[in-house]
Amino acid sequence: MTTFQMGLTIAVCTAATMLTRFLPFLIFSSKDQQPPEVVQYLGRVLPAAIFGTLILYCLKSVTPFAGSHGIPEAIAIAVTIALHWWKHQTLVSITGGTVCYVLLVQLVFA
């Protein structure tokens, strides 16, 4: 890939990302216009569905009969839940759980 092609690729990806991020705000920018009911429904249910999918994906290879028996995963999940109950900040709880898991796997269950 030439430098021009790389720059063009980055520009197109940036424009597409910005369009998909800004378009809903442009469409529903009027104060009296509300998003369709299906959009409101998806806004309510998708966060929980995405987190559920993420949890299943992260735990799919945990085997309680081998290795660390899922102990670091269970501790990290408990830390994530505790942080979320305490702070009610999604990024804090995800970051805290991830850091806890990485530290456990690298230092304790190595």
Side-chain angles (χ1 to χ4, degrees):
M1 220 179 220
T2 66
T3 304
F4 175 74
Q5 290 172 328
M6 285 191 289
L8 185 62
T9 302
I10 291 170
V12 169
C13 290
T14 302
T17 300
M18 290 176 66
L19 179 69
T20 59
R21 299 292 190 249
F22 298 149
L23 194 60
F25 293 102
L26 294 173
I27 292 172
F28 303 114
S29 64
S30 173
K31 292 186 181 194
D32 58 335
Q33 186 179 7
Q34 292 293 321
E37 190 64 35
V38 68
V39 173
Q40 292 177 359
Y41 171 74
L42 289 174
R44 286 191 307 270
V45 299
L46 275 181
I50 291 169
F51 275 111
T53 304
L54 181 61
I55 290 168
L56 291 175
Y57 177 78
C58 290
L59 297 178
K60 70 178 180 178
S61 62
V62 173
T63 305
F65 306 111
S68 59
H69 306 289
I71 296 169
E73 290 85 357
I75 294 171
I77 288 171
V79 166
T80 303
I81 292 170
L83 282 172
H84 195 69
W85 278 343
W86 178 43
K87 288 290 186 181
H88 297 283
Q89 294 286 329
T90 304
L91 291 177
V92 170
S93 54
I94 291 173
T95 303
T98 302
V99 168
C100 174
Y101 175 74
V102 169
L103 290 174
L104 286 171
V105 170
Q106 294 297 319
L107 301 176
V108 179
F109 293 93

